[in-house]
Amino acid sequence: MGESQPFIEHKGQIKSCEMLIYKIHHLFTVHLSSGEKITFLDTPGHAAFSAMRARGTYVTDIIILVVAAEDGVMQQTIESIEHAKNAGVPLVLAINKCDKPEADPERVKKELLAHDVVCEEFGGDVQAVNISALKGDNLTILAEATVALAEMLELKADYTGLVEGTIIESRKDKGKGPVTTAIIQRGTLRKGCVLVAGKTWAKVRFMFDENGKAVDAASPSIPVEIMGWKEVPSAGDEILEVESEQRAHEVVAWRTYVEQQEKMKKDGEVIEVKQKEHRMEYEKKQQNLAHLTWRQRKAALYKASKHLMLLKPKERAETDKNVLSIIIKGDVDGSVEAILNVLDSYDADDECKLDVVHFGMGDISETDLNLAETFNGVVYGFSVKANETIKKMAAKKGIKIKLHNIIYKLIEDLKDELSSRLPPSVVENTIGEASVLDIFSVTVGKSKVPVAGCRVQKGQLDKKMKFKLIRKGNVIWKGSLSSLKHHKDDVQVIKTGMDCGLSLDKHVEFNIGDEIICYEEKEIQQTTSWNPGF
């Protein structure tokens, strides 16, 4: 056993877009003047990255909880405190932006009391340091407080034995292939080690530190980038060293088998529920048809399905519920996970069903376009590219490719796409209002036509627009005017304050006091009711 540098998770409220892009998981080591080293895992405070923060909590020794002095305790702060409690990881409180005039560190400390975070000055065991990240104030004191807590906790690690660790981030690199960023928690990782993570394995070919410099070994709490994976494992997967490649194959095969068995069990349960629903529906139909003869039954069934049989396959598909199919591609596993977590909150299936037909890492590929074409879908990319060949192919096939570097911009774009799939809503815009002051009739051919003598109270009456007759708040009629006269002259428009006589395109008796409303209908694009929370 040997001394281990503390592995710290920094939980802050990131508001800068650039931070959100480049610090999805920023893993780095800080060397102090005293000789100690601290490894930081910087996780974003954005609401979309909740799962990432929770995962980071379970691989750290100490959490530095960063709270802005002028904002106080926010929802993400409370969530991070809960993650720390669940993982049993101690906190150091860093109150940031103390250089601002409106900063109130004492308010922050008092607000945290409600969440069982008690600072030392209130009799608790949580160290609190007032800092300014902008000016660099008290950052050394914060590091010293972290080292002091690590010494008190007597953090140690075993540098010998088989390697154990955790994948912090994973991605597919064009030049390097599947690459993972990991933290070693036990043993010393060297080139040639055989590792297993999730349902894939690696024989370590190369390792790099956080600055991209090649290294030969990585000891506990050292961040390292690993090359040599057969497939891309998932962020959060546990890394275990095994004796040989054969053993790695056996472990992966067993894990795949177990997952398949669990999937078969779940699929079987879903199928059983569906079969039960279909059986109940069938029995209900049979009960409704039980009193009929077989000829009557056959005729009833034919009548019920006739309209579907007459539709062409394409038209039949259009009768299905409105669906937006999407393909999600991201630069790293954590980005894709964050987007999928946001999409899990989608709750507007009654307006437009959202179907994620595929997701993965890497640039937009021809396979993505083929899927989009098959499902009439849209391809969304986060911090990835689409080369010119792919763009031309997409344009030729009429496939939309939406590329973004900021997660909330991608979600806003998706909301716009969902809204565009909704049918427009029709709103009535009132142009004029008139009151019926007198009633008479005129003879046209052999029939008498009711005529209303009106005065325009507001706006104007335009004969080419639509009209409705209101009586005691109820709509009696909607339609067009058959005639509009001022004195004895046919006119197109009657303005405010003028009298007129009008008749409707349908025989409707007028009452004195009725209201005539002239209006136009406008189509307005609906917007999705889905609110992802940011």
Side-chain angles (χ1 to χ4, degrees), residues 7 33 57 79 87 175 177 179 200 233 239 275 288 344 397 423 426 445 494:
F7 178 30
S33 57
T57 303
E79 178 200 83
V179 177
T200 187
I239 295 174
Q275 286 177 338
N288 292 336
D344 282 342
K397 293 183 176 184
V426 178
I494 298 290

Side-chain angles (χ1 to χ4, degrees), residues 308-470:
L308 291 174
M309 289 165 27
L310 293 173
L311 292 176
K312 295 176 183 178
K314 187 178 179 182
E315 292 171 335
R316 203 174 299 173
E318 289 173 355
T319 62
D320 292 340
K321 198 173 182 182
N322 196 13
V323 177
L324 172 60
S325 299
I326 60 172
I327 290 92
I328 301 290
K329 296 298 287 292
D331 56 340
V332 294
D333 186 62
S335 303
V336 177
E337 178 193 45
I339 294 166
L340 294 177
N341 283 342
V342 174
L343 299 187
D344 282 342
S345 70
Y346 186 71
D347 56 0
D349 275 341
D350 56 325
E351 299 172 351
C352 178
K353 186 179 178 183
L354 182 62
D355 186 17
V356 181
V357 297
H358 174 69
F359 60 86
M361 289 170 285
D363 291 341
I364 310 302
S365 67
E366 188 175 344
T367 304
D368 300 324
L369 297 188
N370 291 338
L371 278 169
E373 184 179 28
T374 302
F375 290 94
N376 190 28
V378 180
V379 182
Y380 284 90
F382 180 78
S383 293
V384 295
K385 297 175 182 177
N387 61 39
E388 286 304 314
T389 305
I390 292 295
K391 288 179 180 177
K392 287 177 182 177
M393 192 182 297
K396 188 177 179 181
K397 293 183 176 184
I399 297 167
K400 294 179 185 177
I401 297 178
K402 308 288 190 77
L403 302 178
H404 295 276
N405 287 327
I406 301 172
I407 194 168
Y408 73 82
K409 292 283 187 184
L410 185 149
I411 299 301
E412 284 297 323
D413 193 319
L414 176 58
K415 286 176 66 179
D416 290 342
E417 187 66 35
L418 286 163
S419 297
S420 72
R421 301 291 176 109
L422 303 181
S425 60
V426 178
V427 296
E428 292 181 359
N429 181 31
T430 301
I431 294 171
E433 299 176 6
S435 299
V436 177
L437 304 178
D438 200 1
I439 303 166
F440 51 95
S441 61
V442 295
T443 302
V444 178
K446 294 183 179 181
S447 59
K448 288 189 175 182
V449 177
V451 176
C454 304
R455 179 170 296 159
V456 180
Q457 306 293 345
K458 188 187 295 184
Q460 63 181 28
L461 304 188
D462 189 335
K463 189 182 177 184
K464 66 177 181 289
M465 294 298 174
K466 294 186 176 183
F467 287 79
K468 57 185 175 181
L469 175 64
I470 308 292

Side-chain angles (χ1 to χ4, degrees), residues 7 44 83 108 171 199 238 243 262 268 288 294 301 309 315 324 396 401 489:
F7 178 30
H83 290 328
V108 173
R171 71 182 192 279
K199 296 188 296 301
E238 183 184 23
E243 301 86 356
E262 290 177 353
N288 292 336
W294 72 271
L301 291 172
M309 289 165 27
E315 292 171 335
L324 172 60
K396 188 177 179 181
I401 297 178
D489 300 324

Side-chain angles (χ1 to χ4, degrees), residues 9 104 142 156 239 244 265 315 439 484 510 523:
E9 183 175 18
D104 190 355
L142 177 61
K156 295 183 184 296
I239 295 174
S244 64
K265 185 180 177 182
E315 292 171 335
I439 303 166
L484 179 64
F510 295 103
E523 288 188 347

Side-chain angles (χ1 to χ4, degrees), residues 162-163 189-197 201-204 229 239-249:
L162 296 176
V163 171
L189 182 64
R190 294 183 174 85
K191 287 183 185 179
C193 286
V194 180
L195 308 176
V196 173
W201 65 280
K203 186 171 183 178
V204 180
W229 295 97
I239 295 174
L240 296 174
E241 183 183 3
V242 293
E243 301 86 356
S244 64
E245 292 183 27
Q246 182 183 347
R247 182 61 175 158
H249 280 293

